[in-house]
Amino acid sequence: MGERASRTKATATARIAGVGTANSEHSYSQTELLDHFAIGDPKVRSVFLNSAIDRRYLTLPEVDSDGALIEESQGELLAKHQRMALDMGARAVHACLEDSGLDLADIDYLCCVTTTGFLTPGLSALLIREMGISPRTSRVDVVGMGCNAGLNALNAVNGWSVANPGKVAVALCVEACSAAYVIDSTLRTAVVNSLFGDGAAAVALITDTEDTAHGAPDPGTESGSPRILSFASHLITDAIDAMRFDWDDSQGKFSFFLDPQVPYVVGANTEQIIGRLLDGAGLRRSDISHWLVHSGGKKVIDAVRVNLGLTRHDVRHTVDVLRDYGNLSSGSFLFSYERLLQERVTRSGDYGVLMVMGPGSTIEAALVQW
């Protein structure tokens, strides 16, 4: 009996039971944003208009009686982050539960991810109170890791799920990018302000119980949901300052920095992490049917595609999410995953790779199978 239980535990894998997404209320074209902020510099306008982004969801600052934009202090931005995170986060969780066939009462573990603001108590505690989730729910908050944090969180939530078969774990990524910006005349801020959008994405994990293995399905688990097989990480220590938040004394706000070399640094390191991920499963790149890559920006997507030898079809969802939403930071890959599911092209036995990149500089990857 003990040997059988050990074998079951060793081979247990969590399944992605459902996914849900949400955005802020209004979307804007890049041209509308340039006009709204009265940006006339041709170099800055070129950055916006050549970003491969059509629209982004944003919550823009209000205007005064003269039509001038009202400047938001760092304190006001933090309050804005909390309002937006609670709203988008709750809607993403509800959408995820509906997709999973679950209810709020089914949540046993909640992990919340964000980089666009700092809260104490954390977002997980605030959501539990606001949504009416059981106060007995275990929770954790992942704050400040950046665009790669969604997969870092999924790795941790996967471990909890495997250790607690039959229970429901939810990972929620919420990025209120409208609450993390600086407006000045530099190209540094122009690049950042041309790229990011507001969004939230939630994913529910369930690990099969022993009864499931013998044919009785767990609630919320569909036969077509992919199993999470493994993870791989790579920290590019030579580029640790390539993506970071700095404090801008002149603005009294945090300002995000993106090194122009980021796409090339990330691209040059993708082969080794994907090689480790696939070698561990005895697979080749040609065995992967579905690639879900972070929508980090046009140059980042192109660098990843070229270095891994992927086709434009392989990264179609990544490109489309960038086009329709911009860079949604930690939840971007889940927006791509949701679009893949909507296509209904996955088949039993298909392998998929999830890959994200962000501050560190870091590349995270996961291998899944339908």
Side-chain angles (χ1 to χ4, degrees):
M1 181 68 177
E3 182 181 353
R4 178 184 173 190
S6 297
R7 282 202 307 269
T8 301
K9 185 175 181 179
T11 58
T13 54
R15 295 180 180 273
I16 300 178
V19 65
T21 60
N23 297 94
S24 52
E25 186 176 357
H26 300 292
S27 70
Y28 301 88
S29 70
Q30 296 288 66
T31 301
E32 288 172 332
L33 291 170
L34 288 168
D35 293 342
H36 187 83
F37 286 98
I39 297 173
D41 187 320
K43 290 184 179 179
V44 174
R45 293 185 70 89
S46 178
V47 169
F48 273 71
L49 299 176
N50 291 284
S51 60
I53 298 169
D54 286 350
R55 303 190 70 83
R56 289 180 288 155
Y57 285 83
L58 292 166
T59 301
L60 301 181
E62 296 180 357
V63 296
D64 60 23
S65 57
D66 296 323
L69 293 173
I70 298 174
E71 184 176 347
E72 296 173 291
S73 69
Q74 185 61 59
E76 289 168 331
L77 291 176
L78 289 172
K80 184 178 186 178
H81 163 78
Q82 179 171 329
R83 292 193 305 271
M84 295 179 64
L86 287 172
D87 173 57
M88 292 191 298
R91 287 189 284 115
V93 169
H94 279 301
C96 172
L97 294 175
E98 182 178 355
D99 186 52
S100 309
L102 298 166
D103 298 316
L104 285 175
D106 295 315
I107 298 177
D108 299 293
Y109 185 85
L110 177 63
C111 173
C112 291
V113 178
T114 190
T115 305
T116 55
F118 181 75
L119 295 171
T120 301
L123 180 58
S124 63
L126 296 177
L127 275 174
I128 285 173
R129 183 190 66 181
E130 294 298 317
M131 295 184 69
I133 298 171
S134 170
R136 294 175 294 180
T137 301
S138 299
R139 63 185 181 90
V140 68
D141 289 273
V142 179
V143 180
M145 290 191 75
C147 296
N148 51 276
L151 266 187
N152 293 105
L154 191 66
N155 194 343
V157 173
N158 177 74
W160 187 92
S161 178
V162 170
N164 295 271
K167 294 189 176 183
V168 176
V170 173
L172 169 66
C173 301
V174 183
E175 303 294 0
C177 295
S178 295
Y181 74 95
V182 164
I183 296 288
D184 60 24
S185 59
T186 66
L187 281 178
R188 162 183 167 153
T189 58
V191 170
V192 173
N193 292 339
S194 72
L195 184 58
F196 292 94
D198 301 332
V203 60
L205 302 187
I206 303 176
T207 296
D208 295 344
T209 62
E210 191 170 332
D211 286 340
T212 305
H214 289 84
D218 274 347
T221 303
E222 297 181 1
S223 60
S225 58
R227 296 179 299 126
I228 300 175
L229 302 183
S230 61
F231 292 87
S233 300
H234 182 64
L235 180 68
I236 309 167
T237 54
D238 291 342
I240 201 160
D241 288 330
M243 293 173 266
R244 66 181 190 269
F245 263 129
D246 295 327
W247 180 258
D248 187 329
D249 279 329
S250 65
Q251 296 273 350
K253 299 178 186 179
F254 284 107
S255 176
F256 192 60
F257 172 73
L258 282 171
D259 192 295
Q261 297 302 310
V262 163
Y264 314 108
V265 171
V266 167
N269 284 272
T270 53
E271 288 186 90
Q272 61 173 300
I273 183 173
I274 295 302
R276 283 193 286 112
L277 182 74
L278 299 185
D279 287 347
L283 299 173
R284 297 172 296 180
R285 286 183 221 167
S286 58
D287 295 318
I288 305 303
S289 300
H290 311 290
W291 294 86
L292 300 168
V293 181
H294 169 54
S295 300
K298 182 180 183 298
K299 290 182 179 180
V300 171
I301 297 169
D302 287 345
V304 170
R305 183 177 61 81
V306 170
N307 279 274
L308 291 180
L310 304 181
T311 67
R312 295 186 186 279
H313 181 75
D314 288 329
V315 295
R316 64 195 182 280
H317 299 304
T318 299
V319 171
D320 288 352
V321 167
L322 180 68
R323 179 196 66 208
D324 297 340
Y325 300 99
N327 182 336
L328 295 166
S329 192
S330 62
S332 291
F333 75 104
L334 292 175
F335 276 75
S336 293
Y337 172 72
E338 183 178 55
R339 290 197 169 195
L340 173 64
L341 296 187
Q342 290 168 352
E343 277 191 324
R344 299 186 180 277
V345 296
T346 60
R347 298 183 178 183
S348 179
D350 281 359
Y351 288 100
V353 166
L354 316 177
M355 186 168 67
V356 301
M357 57 289 297
S361 294
T362 305
I363 305 174
E364 302 288 340
L367 178 67
V368 301
Q369 185 179 28
W370 276 262

Short mmCIF file of all heavy atoms in Angstrom, two decimals, residues 27 68 72 79 97 102 108 112 146-147 175 200 214 218 221 243-244 289 291 293 296 308 326 333 337 364 367:
data_model
loop_
_atom_site.label_atom_id
_atom_site.label_comp_id
_atom_site.label_asym_id
_atom_site.label_seq_id
_atom_site.Cartn_x
_atom_site.Cartn_y
_atom_site.Cartn_z
N SER A 27 -10.35 51.03 -24.07
CA SER A 27 -9.16 50.79 -24.90
C SER A 27 -8.94 51.97 -25.82
O SER A 27 -9.90 52.67 -26.21
CB SER A 27 -9.30 49.50 -25.70
OG SER A 27 -10.27 49.63 -26.72
N ALA A 68 -6.37 70.30 -19.51
CA ALA A 68 -5.02 69.81 -19.24
C ALA A 68 -5.07 68.57 -18.37
O ALA A 68 -5.92 68.44 -17.48
CB ALA A 68 -4.19 70.90 -18.56
N GLU A 72 -0.78 62.76 -11.68
CA GLU A 72 -1.05 61.81 -10.60
C GLU A 72 0.22 61.58 -9.78
O GLU A 72 1.26 61.20 -10.33
CB GLU A 72 -1.55 60.48 -11.18
CG GLU A 72 -2.88 60.60 -11.92
CD GLU A 72 -3.26 59.31 -12.63
OE1 GLU A 72 -2.58 58.97 -13.61
OE2 GLU A 72 -4.24 58.67 -12.22
N ALA A 79 -3.06 54.15 -5.06
CA ALA A 79 -4.50 53.99 -4.81
C ALA A 79 -5.21 53.52 -6.08
O ALA A 79 -6.13 52.69 -6.03
CB ALA A 79 -5.10 55.31 -4.32
N LEU A 97 -13.22 30.69 -12.89
CA LEU A 97 -14.06 29.71 -12.21
C LEU A 97 -15.20 29.24 -13.11
O LEU A 97 -15.53 28.05 -13.15
CB LEU A 97 -14.62 30.29 -10.92
CG LEU A 97 -13.59 30.60 -9.83
CD1 LEU A 97 -14.26 31.29 -8.64
CD2 LEU A 97 -12.86 29.34 -9.37
N LEU A 102 -16.39 25.80 -11.59
CA LEU A 102 -16.18 25.87 -10.14
C LEU A 102 -16.85 27.12 -9.56
O LEU A 102 -17.27 28.01 -10.29
CB LEU A 102 -14.68 25.91 -9.84
CG LEU A 102 -13.87 24.68 -10.27
CD1 LEU A 102 -12.38 24.99 -10.23
CD2 LEU A 102 -14.19 23.48 -9.38
N ASP A 108 -9.18 26.76 -2.69
CA ASP A 108 -8.45 26.38 -1.48
C ASP A 108 -7.14 27.14 -1.33
O ASP A 108 -6.59 27.22 -0.23
CB ASP A 108 -8.14 24.87 -1.51
CG ASP A 108 -9.39 24.02 -1.56
OD1 ASP A 108 -10.13 24.02 -0.55
OD2 ASP A 108 -9.65 23.37 -2.60
N CYS A 112 -1.57 35.64 -5.78
CA CYS A 112 -1.75 36.87 -6.55
C CYS A 112 -0.40 37.44 -6.96
O CYS A 112 0.51 37.55 -6.14
CB CYS A 112 -2.51 37.90 -5.73
SG CYS A 112 -4.25 37.46 -5.45
N GLY A 146 7.93 41.22 -12.11
CA GLY A 146 7.84 41.66 -13.49
C GLY A 146 7.13 40.70 -14.41
O GLY A 146 6.34 39.85 -13.98
N CYS A 147 7.43 40.83 -15.70
CA CYS A 147 6.68 40.10 -16.73
C CYS A 147 6.83 38.59 -16.64
O CYS A 147 5.97 37.85 -17.12
CB CYS A 147 7.13 40.57 -18.12
SG CYS A 147 6.76 42.30 -18.47
N GLU A 175 -2.05 43.30 -13.54
CA GLU A 175 -1.12 44.39 -13.82
C GLU A 175 -1.89 45.64 -14.25
O GLU A 175 -2.46 45.69 -15.33
CB GLU A 175 -0.12 43.98 -14.90
CG GLU A 175 0.67 42.71 -14.58
CD GLU A 175 1.63 42.84 -13.38
OE1 GLU A 175 1.69 43.94 -12.78
OE2 GLU A 175 2.32 41.86 -13.07
N ALA A 200 -5.66 41.45 -16.46
CA ALA A 200 -5.59 40.43 -15.40
C ALA A 200 -5.93 39.08 -16.01
O ALA A 200 -6.75 38.98 -16.92
CB ALA A 200 -6.57 40.76 -14.28
N HIS A 214 -8.53 6.37 -11.46
CA HIS A 214 -9.27 5.14 -11.74
C HIS A 214 -10.60 5.43 -12.45
O HIS A 214 -11.50 4.60 -12.44
CB HIS A 214 -9.53 4.37 -10.43
CG HIS A 214 -8.29 3.76 -9.87
ND1 HIS A 214 -7.41 4.48 -9.09
CD2 HIS A 214 -7.76 2.52 -9.99
CE1 HIS A 214 -6.39 3.70 -8.73
NE2 HIS A 214 -6.58 2.51 -9.26
N ASP A 218 -12.43 14.48 -11.07
CA ASP A 218 -12.57 15.50 -10.03
C ASP A 218 -13.43 16.65 -10.55
O ASP A 218 -13.44 16.93 -11.74
CB ASP A 218 -11.19 16.06 -9.65
CG ASP A 218 -10.51 15.21 -8.59
OD1 ASP A 218 -11.20 14.38 -7.99
OD2 ASP A 218 -9.30 15.40 -8.39
N THR A 221 -12.36 19.45 -13.49
CA THR A 221 -11.29 18.94 -14.33
C THR A 221 -11.88 18.33 -15.58
O THR A 221 -12.68 17.42 -15.52
CB THR A 221 -10.47 17.86 -13.58
OG1 THR A 221 -9.96 18.44 -12.39
CG2 THR A 221 -9.32 17.38 -14.43
N MET A 243 16.16 45.48 -17.10
CA MET A 243 14.75 45.81 -16.88
C MET A 243 14.57 46.08 -15.40
O MET A 243 14.82 45.20 -14.59
CB MET A 243 13.84 44.66 -17.33
CG MET A 243 13.83 44.39 -18.81
SD MET A 243 12.90 42.88 -19.25
CE MET A 243 14.25 41.68 -19.29
N ARG A 244 14.14 47.29 -15.06
CA ARG A 244 14.10 47.63 -13.63
C ARG A 244 13.22 48.84 -13.37
O ARG A 244 12.96 49.64 -14.26
CB ARG A 244 15.52 47.91 -13.13
CG ARG A 244 16.14 49.16 -13.73
CD ARG A 244 17.56 49.42 -13.24
NE ARG A 244 18.04 50.73 -13.65
CZ ARG A 244 18.71 50.97 -14.77
NH1 ARG A 244 19.00 49.98 -15.58
NH2 ARG A 244 19.11 52.20 -15.06
N SER A 289 3.71 21.20 -30.34
CA SER A 289 2.62 21.63 -31.24
C SER A 289 2.17 23.07 -30.97
O SER A 289 1.65 23.73 -31.87
CB SER A 289 1.41 20.70 -31.07
OG SER A 289 1.75 19.37 -31.39
N TRP A 291 3.14 26.86 -29.03
CA TRP A 291 4.08 27.75 -28.37
C TRP A 291 3.33 28.99 -27.88
O TRP A 291 2.71 29.70 -28.67
CB TRP A 291 5.19 28.17 -29.34
CG TRP A 291 6.07 27.05 -29.76
CD1 TRP A 291 5.85 26.16 -30.79
CD2 TRP A 291 7.32 26.68 -29.17
NE1 TRP A 291 6.88 25.27 -30.87
CE2 TRP A 291 7.80 25.55 -29.88
CE3 TRP A 291 8.07 27.18 -28.11
CZ2 TRP A 291 9.01 24.93 -29.57
CZ3 TRP A 291 9.29 26.56 -27.79
CH2 TRP A 291 9.74 25.46 -28.52
N VAL A 293 4.16 32.30 -26.01
CA VAL A 293 5.28 33.15 -25.61
C VAL A 293 4.77 34.50 -25.14
O VAL A 293 3.79 35.03 -25.67
CB VAL A 293 6.25 33.34 -26.81
CG1 VAL A 293 7.44 34.21 -26.41
CG2 VAL A 293 6.73 31.98 -27.33
N GLY A 296 6.11 40.39 -25.20
CA GLY A 296 6.97 41.42 -24.62
C GLY A 296 7.20 42.62 -25.49
O GLY A 296 7.66 43.66 -25.02
N LEU A 308 14.71 30.38 -31.95
CA LEU A 308 14.17 29.04 -31.74
C LEU A 308 13.71 28.38 -33.04
O LEU A 308 13.28 27.23 -33.03
CB LEU A 308 12.99 29.09 -30.75
CG LEU A 308 13.34 29.42 -29.31
CD1 LEU A 308 12.07 29.44 -28.46
CD2 LEU A 308 14.34 28.42 -28.73
N GLY A 326 -1.35 45.20 -26.17
CA GLY A 326 -0.03 45.63 -25.74
C GLY A 326 0.60 44.58 -24.85
O GLY A 326 0.15 43.44 -24.77
N PHE A 333 0.95 35.69 -21.18
CA PHE A 333 0.96 34.34 -21.74
C PHE A 333 -0.38 33.62 -21.51
O PHE A 333 -0.75 32.75 -22.30
CB PHE A 333 2.12 33.52 -21.17
CG PHE A 333 1.93 33.04 -19.75
CD1 PHE A 333 1.62 31.71 -19.48
CD2 PHE A 333 2.08 33.91 -18.68
CE1 PHE A 333 1.46 31.26 -18.19
CE2 PHE A 333 1.92 33.47 -17.38
CZ PHE A 333 1.60 32.14 -17.13
N TYR A 337 -2.82 31.77 -24.08
CA TYR A 337 -3.34 30.43 -23.80
C TYR A 337 -4.85 30.39 -24.00
O TYR A 337 -5.40 29.45 -24.60
CB TYR A 337 -2.97 30.03 -22.37
CG TYR A 337 -3.62 28.75 -21.90
CD1 TYR A 337 -3.21 27.51 -22.38
CD2 TYR A 337 -4.67 28.77 -20.97
CE1 TYR A 337 -3.80 26.33 -21.96
CE2 TYR A 337 -5.27 27.61 -20.53
CZ TYR A 337 -4.83 26.39 -21.03
OH TYR A 337 -5.44 25.23 -20.61
N GLU A 364 11.63 32.20 -18.14
CA GLU A 364 10.96 31.08 -17.49
C GLU A 364 10.20 30.28 -18.54
O GLU A 364 9.65 30.85 -19.48
CB GLU A 364 9.97 31.57 -16.43
CG GLU A 364 10.57 32.45 -15.33
CD GLU A 364 11.42 31.67 -14.35
OE1 GLU A 364 11.26 30.43 -14.27
OE2 GLU A 364 12.25 32.29 -13.68
N LEU A 367 6.59 23.11 -19.60
CA LEU A 367 6.17 22.12 -20.58
C LEU A 367 4.84 21.54 -20.14
O LEU A 367 4.68 21.14 -18.98
CB LEU A 367 7.20 20.99 -20.69
CG LEU A 367 6.87 19.84 -21.65
CD1 LEU A 367 6.87 20.33 -23.10
CD2 LEU A 367 7.90 18.70 -21.48
#
